[in-house]
Amino acid sequence: CLDGDPELKFAQWTAALHLATTWSFDDIREKIIAQVDEMISAEAPLDRIDASLKCRVEKWLHPAYVILCKRERGLSDAEAESLSNCRTAPMPSKDADFGDASYLIFLIPLRLLQQSQYFRDMIGAANTGSEGEGKSDEHPIRLDGISAFEMRSFLKAVDSPFIYGDPKLVFREWGAALHLATMWNFEEIRKGIITTVDKTISSANPFERIEVSIKCQVEKWLHPAYEALCTRAETLSDPQAEWLGIRRSAAIWRIRERCFSDQLTFYRSKDGRKGFGRQGDSEPRPTNFRALIEGEEALKFPS
């Protein structure tokens, strides 16, 4: 069969090549590769990439990527997912003190706990009162699933005069405090934190803004953070794309590709307006990034 003119389809050849590679049939493998070399240029680039990686034929890989890079349309969500099995991972912490808060005891005034519906229900429960839970160091209220960093950030935010003063918390601390205020239904504290963060959030890291927006259910912070990624000069790095997940990354790449497809350069005008334009343009061409972002299903606020 390999010395004649076999009537096998590309998928059959690659299935055979996969087994020949797995079982080390080296002579058969080389003959199959020679056969496929004559037909592979007519196959879909995603199938060629899959066969190249699966069957360890390096020479087939880059020509397939070149086709994807040169074609006019960007990757669809389905194509992006087939290219990668990346999954969203938690944003790594830069803080060494990120241990489980259940190993520490925090002394919290009762008047503070009573601002939360979550703790009011807990304090009023019959089992809590009868066991004396929360009334001594020997019988604390156990809080699982939170970190010491989050708890300390929450207490700093509560102690800080964030409604009237100038608090000295960094964005990660505000985000951690807001997460607990949201989870425990401290409604007034939550509103105060959001009001304070609104003033400075534009200068924060866009990935942290995305994480806090979704985790703390603040929809208005999400699309401006995605816009920051779409309009910045550098593209997504591999770790950033892995954190976002393939569907959100592909959506951002599509928006950037659409804006750069006409060989336009991003810049700001003197009055701060941003857009794309060619070298020598006196004004940037306005780009409605927000409309493009809102049109991407993967970038919508999770319901």
Side-chain angles (χ1 to χ4, degrees):
C1 174
L2 291 175
D3 295 324
D5 186 16
E7 296 183 356
L8 273 68
K9 296 180 179 179
F10 180 75
Q12 294 172 304
W13 278 122
T14 55
L17 180 58
H18 175 55
L19 295 186
T21 302
T22 301
W23 294 335
S24 300
F25 284 98
D26 293 334
D27 290 340
I28 294 176
R29 169 182 159 83
E30 292 306 316
K31 289 182 178 180
I32 293 176
I33 290 174
Q35 289 282 348
V36 176
D37 278 342
E38 298 176 5
M39 63 187 299
I40 194 170
S41 61
E43 301 302 321
L46 294 178
D47 292 337
R48 294 161 63 176
I49 292 168
D50 180 64
S52 171
L53 297 174
K54 197 172 185 180
C55 302
R56 305 174 195 169
V57 186
E58 184 176 354
K59 65 180 178 180
W60 295 345
L61 187 61
H62 285 175
Y65 283 135
V66 167
I67 292 173
L68 294 179
C69 293
K70 285 185 174 181
R71 72 181 190 180
E72 292 184 2
R73 62 183 177 87
L75 292 175
S76 66
D77 286 345
E79 289 173 330
E81 287 175 3
S82 73
L83 280 172
S84 174
N85 290 322
C86 294
R87 293 292 182 265
T88 303
M91 201 66 162
S93 167
K94 300 175 183 176
D95 198 303
D97 185 16
F98 219 76
D100 190 336
S102 64
Y103 293 99
L104 299 173
I105 295 177
F106 294 88
L107 301 179
I108 304 174
L110 182 61
R111 58 177 173 76
L112 173 60
L113 297 181
Q114 289 175 336
Q115 296 179 40
S116 159
Q117 184 62 51
Y118 175 89
F119 285 108
R120 284 201 300 271
D121 292 343
M122 180 182 291
I123 293 168
N127 64 322
T128 303
S130 62
E131 296 293 332
E133 187 176 4
K135 296 180 180 178
S136 68
D137 290 356
E138 290 73 26
H139 300 284
I141 297 175
R142 187 177 180 86
L143 300 172
D144 295 318
I146 67 170
S147 70
F149 173 79
E150 288 176 316
M151 194 65 188
R152 288 198 177 104
S153 297
F154 176 74
L155 294 177
K156 283 175 68 176
V158 170
D159 288 339
S160 172
F162 55 82
I163 296 178
Y164 306 106
D166 182 20
K168 305 299 181 183
L169 276 72
V170 299
F171 182 76
R172 285 185 64 248
E173 291 175 309
W174 282 122
L178 181 58
H179 172 54
L180 296 191
T182 302
M183 183 169 65
W184 291 335
N185 297 324
F186 283 96
E187 294 298 337
E188 292 304 315
I189 293 175
R190 170 181 159 83
K191 291 177 183 177
I193 293 175
I194 291 174
T195 298
T196 299
V197 175
D198 277 341
K199 302 172 185 176
T200 58
I201 192 170
S202 61
S203 62
N205 179 295
F207 295 97
E208 292 182 347
R209 291 159 62 182
I210 292 167
E211 181 181 39
V212 172
S213 170
I214 295 173
K215 194 174 185 179
C216 301
Q217 303 166 31
V218 187
E219 184 173 357
K220 65 180 177 179
W221 292 346
L222 186 61
H223 283 174
Y226 286 137
E227 184 175 346
L229 296 180
C230 292
T231 59
R232 68 180 189 173
E234 66 272 20
T235 188
L236 296 175
S237 67
D238 286 346
Q240 290 169 345
E242 288 176 6
W243 182 82
L244 283 169
I246 195 63
R247 292 188 68 244
R248 288 192 294 178
S249 297
I252 289 170
W253 286 325
R254 277 195 294 270
I255 294 171
R256 290 176 61 85
E257 186 177 71
R258 179 171 174 178
C259 295
F260 282 104
S261 61
D262 196 26
Q263 296 182 342
L264 302 178
T265 301
F266 172 77
Y267 66 102
R268 295 177 184 269
S269 63
K270 293 180 179 179
D271 61 0
R273 289 184 295 118
K274 56 189 176 183
F276 286 83
R278 288 191 179 88
Q279 188 71 25
D281 284 353
S282 59
E283 288 291 328
R285 302 182 182 188
T287 303
N288 191 344
F289 289 103
R290 196 64 58 85
L292 296 177
I293 290 168
E294 290 172 355
E296 290 286 349
E297 188 67 31
L299 301 184
K300 292 182 178 179
F301 191 79
S303 56

